Amino acid sequence: QVQLQESGPGLVKPSQTLSLTCTVSGGSITTNYYYWSWIRQPPGKGLEWMGAIAYSGSTYYSPSLKSRTSISRDTSKNQFTLQLSSVTPEDTAVYYCARDRGGTIWGEYDYWGQGTQVTVSS
């Protein structure tokens, strides 16, 4: 029922800001008590949780990325957005948006986007 779709540029230059949008259908991003997350997977590496925005609008970030990460939402469009500033080639990854079930444990995702490749290169 719920579908998530990532969109945005597939190529970003170093030092610029990566911006991706996740469009959600079949469910509202304001519905209690879900969290809407961004996760990435660099080549040859595991999944890395980046951050999330809650149904309430509160945001949460990975400590390692907090200084460069901003998550926002547009409830009228049922979208949430990732911005990652000052990117380097180490930020090259497949980026996913996903819905967290909102339980007491982070990382229980019931719906995922298909992922989008973002390459940081000059």
Side-chain angles (χ1 to χ4, degrees):
Q1 181 181 3
V2 176
Q3 293 183 316
L4 294 82
Q5 177 69 62
E6 304 91 347
S7 62
L11 182 65
V12 183
K13 295 180 179 179
S15 82
Q16 294 188 335
T17 295
L18 180 160
S19 183
L20 297 173
T21 296
C22 183
T23 300
V24 179
S25 62
S28 173
I29 61 174
T30 64
T31 296
N32 299 349
Y33 295 100
Y34 299 115
Y35 290 71
W36 304 89
S37 301
W38 288 100
I39 304 108
R40 69 179 183 180
Q41 185 170 36
K45 298 182 180 180
L47 296 169
E48 178 185 21
W49 179 78
M50 302 182 69
I53 186 164
Y55 59 95
S56 62
S58 298
T59 52
Y60 306 85
Y61 301 103
S62 169
S64 64
L65 296 170
K66 181 178 178 63
S67 66
R68 299 194 293 131
T69 306
S70 179
I71 298 173
S72 58
R73 67 180 184 176
D74 184 339
T75 58
S76 69
K77 297 180 178 179
N78 213 36
Q79 296 176 329
F80 62 105
T81 299
L82 169 72
Q83 292 188 305
L84 182 67
S85 65
S86 303
V87 299
T88 73
E90 297 300 313
D91 294 309
T92 294
V94 176
Y95 286 75
Y96 299 91
C97 55
R99 187 175 81 169
D100 190 291
R101 292 173 178 172
T104 58
I105 301 174
W106 285 105
E108 296 184 335
Y109 307 108
D110 52 4
Y111 293 96
W112 291 73
Q114 65 186 20
T116 186
Q117 173 71 44
V118 179
T119 299
V120 179
S121 176
S122 61

mmCIF file of all heavy atoms in Angstrom, residues 2 6 11 14 19 26 28 31-32 38 49-50 64 68 82-84 86 88 103 105 107 110 116 118:
data_model
loop_
_atom_site.group_PDB
_atom_site.id
_atom_site.type_symbol
_atom_site.label_atom_id
_atom_site.label_comp_id
_atom_site.label_asym_id
_atom_site.label_seq_id
_atom_site.Cartn_x
_atom_site.Cartn_y
_atom_site.Cartn_z
ATOM 1 N N VAL A 2 1.740 1.366 0.970
ATOM 2 C CA VAL A 2 2.611 2.532 1.058
ATOM 3 C C VAL A 2 3.766 2.376 0.076
ATOM 4 O O VAL A 2 4.396 1.320 0.003
ATOM 5 C CB VAL A 2 3.151 2.719 2.481
ATOM 6 C CG1 VAL A 2 4.138 3.888 2.536
ATOM 7 C CG2 VAL A 2 1.996 2.968 3.443
ATOM 8 N N GLU A 6 12.427 7.813 -4.206
ATOM 9 C CA GLU A 6 13.490 8.809 -4.113
ATOM 10 C C GLU A 6 13.654 9.516 -5.450
ATOM 11 O O GLU A 6 13.489 8.909 -6.512
ATOM 12 C CB GLU A 6 14.824 8.165 -3.728
ATOM 13 C CG GLU A 6 14.801 7.366 -2.437
ATOM 14 C CD GLU A 6 14.470 5.905 -2.645
ATOM 15 O OE1 GLU A 6 14.005 5.540 -3.752
ATOM 16 O OE2 GLU A 6 14.675 5.116 -1.706
ATOM 17 N N LEU A 11 24.282 12.938 -9.825
ATOM 18 C CA LEU A 11 25.671 13.366 -9.807
ATOM 19 C C LEU A 11 25.771 14.705 -9.095
ATOM 20 O O LEU A 11 25.046 15.649 -9.423
ATOM 21 C CB LEU A 11 26.212 13.480 -11.230
ATOM 22 C CG LEU A 11 27.677 13.885 -11.385
ATOM 23 C CD1 LEU A 11 28.592 12.812 -10.794
ATOM 24 C CD2 LEU A 11 28.007 14.101 -12.855
ATOM 25 N N PRO A 14 31.885 17.688 -5.661
ATOM 26 C CA PRO A 14 32.439 17.843 -4.313
ATOM 27 C C PRO A 14 32.260 19.260 -3.796
ATOM 28 O O PRO A 14 32.345 20.226 -4.559
ATOM 29 C CB PRO A 14 33.918 17.501 -4.502
ATOM 30 C CG PRO A 14 33.942 16.584 -5.681
ATOM 31 C CD PRO A 14 32.864 17.099 -6.601
ATOM 32 N N SER A 19 20.900 16.900 -2.491
ATOM 33 C CA SER A 19 19.511 17.083 -2.111
ATOM 34 C C SER A 19 18.654 16.014 -2.773
ATOM 35 O O SER A 19 18.655 15.882 -3.996
ATOM 36 C CB SER A 19 19.017 18.476 -2.512
ATOM 37 O OG SER A 19 17.691 18.690 -2.085
ATOM 38 N N GLY A 26 0.086 6.477 -0.536
ATOM 39 C CA GLY A 26 -0.582 5.419 0.195
ATOM 40 C C GLY A 26 -0.589 5.589 1.700
ATOM 41 O O GLY A 26 -1.092 4.717 2.426
ATOM 42 N N SER A 28 0.144 8.943 4.910
ATOM 43 C CA SER A 28 0.575 10.300 5.216
ATOM 44 C C SER A 28 1.822 10.303 6.077
ATOM 45 O O SER A 28 1.941 9.506 7.020
ATOM 46 C CB SER A 28 -0.545 11.054 5.936
ATOM 47 O OG SER A 28 -0.096 12.319 6.387
ATOM 48 N N THR A 31 1.124 10.706 9.902
ATOM 49 C CA THR A 31 0.382 9.699 10.648
ATOM 50 C C THR A 31 1.173 9.163 11.838
ATOM 51 O O THR A 31 2.343 8.790 11.701
ATOM 52 C CB THR A 31 -0.008 8.523 9.731
ATOM 53 O OG1 THR A 31 -0.893 8.990 8.714
ATOM 54 C CG2 THR A 31 -0.718 7.426 10.522
ATOM 55 N N ASN A 32 0.517 9.174 13.004
ATOM 56 C CA ASN A 32 1.131 8.584 14.196
ATOM 57 C C ASN A 32 1.407 7.097 13.963
ATOM 58 O O ASN A 32 0.575 6.394 13.409
ATOM 59 C CB ASN A 32 0.207 8.708 15.396
ATOM 60 C CG ASN A 32 -0.124 10.132 15.778
ATOM 61 O OD1 ASN A 32 0.466 11.078 15.291
ATOM 62 N ND2 ASN A 32 -1.075 10.279 16.704
ATOM 63 N N TRP A 38 16.186 8.287 6.196
ATOM 64 C CA TRP A 38 17.135 8.200 5.094
ATOM 65 C C TRP A 38 18.256 7.255 5.483
ATOM 66 O O TRP A 38 18.823 7.374 6.566
ATOM 67 C CB TRP A 38 17.705 9.567 4.731
ATOM 68 C CG TRP A 38 16.723 10.455 4.035
ATOM 69 C CD1 TRP A 38 15.992 11.457 4.572
ATOM 70 C CD2 TRP A 38 16.369 10.399 2.647
ATOM 71 N NE1 TRP A 38 15.199 12.043 3.615
ATOM 72 C CE2 TRP A 38 15.409 11.413 2.424
ATOM 73 C CE3 TRP A 38 16.767 9.601 1.565
ATOM 74 C CZ2 TRP A 38 14.838 11.641 1.158
ATOM 75 C CZ3 TRP A 38 16.200 9.826 0.317
ATOM 76 C CH2 TRP A 38 15.252 10.842 0.133
ATOM 77 N N TRP A 49 22.368 4.343 8.568
ATOM 78 C CA TRP A 49 21.256 5.229 8.881
ATOM 79 C C TRP A 49 21.750 6.657 8.992
ATOM 80 O O TRP A 49 22.722 6.939 9.696
ATOM 81 C CB TRP A 49 20.591 4.797 10.188
ATOM 82 C CG TRP A 49 19.455 5.660 10.614
ATOM 83 C CD1 TRP A 49 18.186 5.655 10.121
ATOM 84 C CD2 TRP A 49 19.477 6.655 11.646
ATOM 85 N NE1 TRP A 49 17.416 6.583 10.777
ATOM 86 C CE2 TRP A 49 18.184 7.212 11.717
ATOM 87 C CE3 TRP A 49 20.460 7.125 12.520
ATOM 88 C CZ2 TRP A 49 17.843 8.216 12.621
ATOM 89 C CZ3 TRP A 49 20.130 8.119 13.424
ATOM 90 C CH2 TRP A 49 18.841 8.658 13.466
ATOM 91 N N MET A 50 21.101 7.557 8.308
ATOM 92 C CA MET A 50 21.522 8.943 8.285
ATOM 93 C C MET A 50 20.696 9.827 9.220
ATOM 94 O O MET A 50 21.238 10.702 9.892
ATOM 95 C CB MET A 50 21.429 9.507 6.866
ATOM 96 C CG MET A 50 22.246 8.745 5.850
ATOM 97 S SD MET A 50 22.159 9.476 4.199
ATOM 98 C CE MET A 50 23.080 10.987 4.473
ATOM 99 N N SER A 64 27.476 10.957 13.400
ATOM 100 C CA SER A 64 28.576 11.122 12.462
ATOM 101 C C SER A 64 28.234 12.032 11.289
ATOM 102 O O SER A 64 29.129 12.517 10.597
ATOM 103 C CB SER A 64 29.034 9.759 11.939
ATOM 104 O OG SER A 64 28.013 9.129 11.193
ATOM 105 N N ARG A 68 26.325 17.848 8.935
ATOM 106 C CA ARG A 68 26.149 18.081 7.508
ATOM 107 C C ARG A 68 24.766 17.741 6.991
ATOM 108 O O ARG A 68 24.487 17.931 5.805
ATOM 109 C CB ARG A 68 27.169 17.268 6.705
ATOM 110 C CG ARG A 68 28.606 17.597 6.985
ATOM 111 C CD ARG A 68 29.510 16.991 5.909
ATOM 112 N NE ARG A 68 29.531 15.536 5.948
ATOM 113 C CZ ARG A 68 29.361 14.751 4.882
ATOM 114 N NH1 ARG A 68 29.144 15.288 3.685
ATOM 115 N NH2 ARG A 68 29.421 13.431 5.006
ATOM 116 N N LEU A 82 16.118 15.161 2.000
ATOM 117 C CA LEU A 82 17.449 15.045 2.599
ATOM 118 C C LEU A 82 18.378 16.060 1.961
ATOM 119 O O LEU A 82 18.430 16.165 0.734
ATOM 120 C CB LEU A 82 18.005 13.635 2.375
ATOM 121 C CG LEU A 82 19.483 13.427 2.721
ATOM 122 C CD1 LEU A 82 19.680 13.438 4.233
ATOM 123 C CD2 LEU A 82 20.000 12.128 2.104
ATOM 124 N N GLN A 83 19.099 16.777 2.788
ATOM 125 C CA GLN A 83 20.173 17.633 2.315
ATOM 126 C C GLN A 83 21.453 17.262 3.048
ATOM 127 O O GLN A 83 21.476 17.229 4.283
ATOM 128 C CB GLN A 83 19.848 19.113 2.521
ATOM 129 C CG GLN A 83 18.712 19.609 1.646
ATOM 130 C CD GLN A 83 18.541 21.102 1.728
ATOM 131 O OE1 GLN A 83 18.384 21.644 2.828
ATOM 132 N NE2 GLN A 83 18.574 21.770 0.590
ATOM 133 N N LEU A 84 22.480 16.976 2.290
ATOM 134 C CA LEU A 84 23.783 16.631 2.838
ATOM 135 C C LEU A 84 24.791 17.597 2.243
ATOM 136 O O LEU A 84 25.040 17.576 1.037
ATOM 137 C CB LEU A 84 24.146 15.184 2.495
ATOM 138 C CG LEU A 84 25.472 14.662 3.042
ATOM 139 C CD1 LEU A 84 25.426 14.564 4.565
ATOM 140 C CD2 LEU A 84 25.800 13.303 2.422
ATOM 141 N N SER A 86 28.490 19.837 1.852
ATOM 142 C CA SER A 86 29.935 19.627 1.783
ATOM 143 C C SER A 86 30.310 18.203 1.416
ATOM 144 O O SER A 86 31.146 17.567 2.058
ATOM 145 C CB SER A 86 30.577 20.019 3.124
ATOM 146 O OG SER A 86 30.275 21.353 3.465
ATOM 147 N N THR A 88 31.762 14.841 -0.356
ATOM 148 C CA THR A 88 33.014 14.354 -0.904
ATOM 149 C C THR A 88 32.730 13.041 -1.627
ATOM 150 O O THR A 88 31.632 12.493 -1.523
ATOM 151 C CB THR A 88 34.055 14.112 0.192
ATOM 152 O OG1 THR A 88 33.705 12.933 0.933
ATOM 153 C CG2 THR A 88 34.135 15.301 1.147
ATOM 154 N N GLY A 103 8.387 1.972 16.658
ATOM 155 C CA GLY A 103 8.395 1.277 17.922
ATOM 156 C C GLY A 103 9.527 1.762 18.810
ATOM 157 O O GLY A 103 10.115 2.825 18.588
ATOM 158 N N ILE A 105 12.380 0.379 19.086
ATOM 159 C CA ILE A 105 13.657 0.054 18.474
ATOM 160 C C ILE A 105 13.764 0.714 17.108
ATOM 161 O O ILE A 105 12.882 0.573 16.261
ATOM 162 C CB ILE A 105 13.834 -1.472 18.334
ATOM 163 C CG1 ILE A 105 13.754 -2.153 19.698
ATOM 164 C CG2 ILE A 105 15.152 -1.804 17.654
ATOM 165 C CD1 ILE A 105 13.766 -3.660 19.621
ATOM 166 N N GLY A 107 15.164 1.202 13.329
ATOM 167 C CA GLY A 107 15.609 0.329 12.266
ATOM 168 C C GLY A 107 14.656 -0.765 11.868
ATOM 169 O O GLY A 107 15.069 -1.695 11.170
ATOM 170 N N ASP A 110 9.264 -0.993 7.479
ATOM 171 C CA ASP A 110 8.268 -1.810 6.806
ATOM 172 C C ASP A 110 8.107 -1.461 5.332
ATOM 173 O O ASP A 110 7.612 -2.288 4.561
ATOM 174 C CB ASP A 110 6.918 -1.774 7.532
ATOM 175 C CG ASP A 110 6.401 -0.375 7.803
ATOM 176 O OD1 ASP A 110 7.037 0.611 7.376
ATOM 177 O OD2 ASP A 110 5.338 -0.267 8.449
ATOM 178 N N THR A 116 18.266 5.268 -4.874
ATOM 179 C CA THR A 116 18.778 6.044 -5.987
ATOM 180 C C THR A 116 20.285 6.219 -5.838
ATOM 181 O O THR A 116 20.789 6.512 -4.752
ATOM 182 C CB THR A 116 18.071 7.413 -6.092
ATOM 183 O OG1 THR A 116 18.490 8.091 -7.277
ATOM 184 C CG2 THR A 116 18.356 8.292 -4.884
ATOM 185 N N VAL A 118 23.686 8.008 -6.063
ATOM 186 C CA VAL A 118 24.250 9.355 -6.087
ATOM 187 C C VAL A 118 25.767 9.235 -6.122
ATOM 188 O O VAL A 118 26.368 8.603 -5.251
ATOM 189 C CB VAL A 118 23.817 10.195 -4.875
ATOM 190 C CG1 VAL A 118 24.469 11.576 -4.948
ATOM 191 C CG2 VAL A 118 22.305 10.325 -4.829
#
